Amino acid sequence: NRIINGDMRIDQRNAGASLTVNSGSDFYAVDRWPASGESADGVFTVQQSSTAPAGFTKSVVCTVTTADASIGATQRYFIEHKIEGYNVADLGFGTASAATVTLSFWVRSSATGTFGGTLSNANGRYYPFSYTISAANTFEQKTITIAGDTTGTWSTSNTTGFEILFSLGCGSSRKGTGNAWTSSVYLAPTGSVDLIATNGATFYITGVQLEAGTVATPFERRPYGTELALCQRYY
């Protein structure tokens, strides 16, 4: 698993306290998982939660407290994870031998429908992906397989290699054709749910895993001390 703290156990900054996301700054819900929004517009909170699917003890919950029902074309609301280039260099993105990767996670929302996110290098290459939440307020596991990008510049050092972003809502200029690589800054596919448009809406996520190959294997459970040490590199 290339994700650190994918089961949301480590929260060095807040110890479970809620944060209000009301600007484009990074608000760390738990270690390695910043959330971001817009100033003077929609607002949501992020917080470590003990509501989790079987086999997990923690998740992150995002709750809309001020709805944005008319999202500006370039506005965006999201929670994301950044992977250091050293930790994905072997995947060969940006070369002819780019590996296929599989993203898996557990998600729960008060809303249903097609949701979206993106895998990117934050430098001109984006893969907006979609997944469907079928039942409200019920944890569901999702799996997304992504063919490696053979173009673009992908870090193999201590800068950001991959960004995995889960959209909570974005404007028309930040949505486009899903499940394909593009140079456009697309954070979600066209038609995906904008959670931020509904006051009181909730979104939970945990058990996030990114691995090489086409199969989602069981979540990699590292010892707590190991996971804490991995987080401390960035804290």
Side-chain angles (χ1 to χ4, degrees), residues 200-216:
T202 56
F203 177 91
Y204 295 79
I205 190 165
T206 193
V208 187
Q209 180 149 292
L210 181 75
E211 55 195 311
T214 60
V215 176

Side-chain angles (χ1 to χ4, degrees), residues 156-207:
T156 57
S157 64
N158 68 343
T159 55
T160 299
F162 286 9
E163 283 190 355
I164 299 171
L165 179 150
F166 295 91
S167 175
L168 304 176
C170 56
S172 58
S173 295
R174 295 293 174 254
K175 291 183 178 181
T177 301
N179 305 314
W181 286 106
T182 179
S183 59
S184 299
V185 184
Y186 291 157
L187 307 184
T190 302
S192 56
V193 170
D194 293 322
L195 193 85
I196 195 70
T198 302
N199 198 43
T202 56
F203 177 91
Y204 295 79
I205 190 165
T206 193

Side-chain angles (χ1 to χ4, degrees), residues 5 13 32 47 66 82 87 90 105 118 125 142 157 183 187 195 209 213 233:
N5 202 29
R13 293 171 178 82
R32 309 303 303 129
Q47 185 174 18
T66 301
K82 298 178 183 180
N87 295 333
D90 63 298
F105 54 94
T118 197
R125 299 299 296 167
K142 305 302 173 184
S157 64
S183 59
L187 307 184
L195 193 85
Q209 180 149 292
R233 173 168 172 79

Side-chain angles (χ1 to χ4, degrees), residues 114-150:
T114 301
F115 285 67
T118 197
L119 169 63
S120 80
N121 63 354
N123 186 31
R125 299 299 296 167
Y126 295 83
Y127 187 99
F129 58 80
S130 63
Y131 59 96
T132 300
I133 295 180
S134 303
N137 302 315
T138 303
F139 272 105
E140 301 173 354
Q141 188 180 31
K142 305 302 173 184
T143 300
I144 298 159
T145 298
I146 300 172
D149 188 13
T150 58

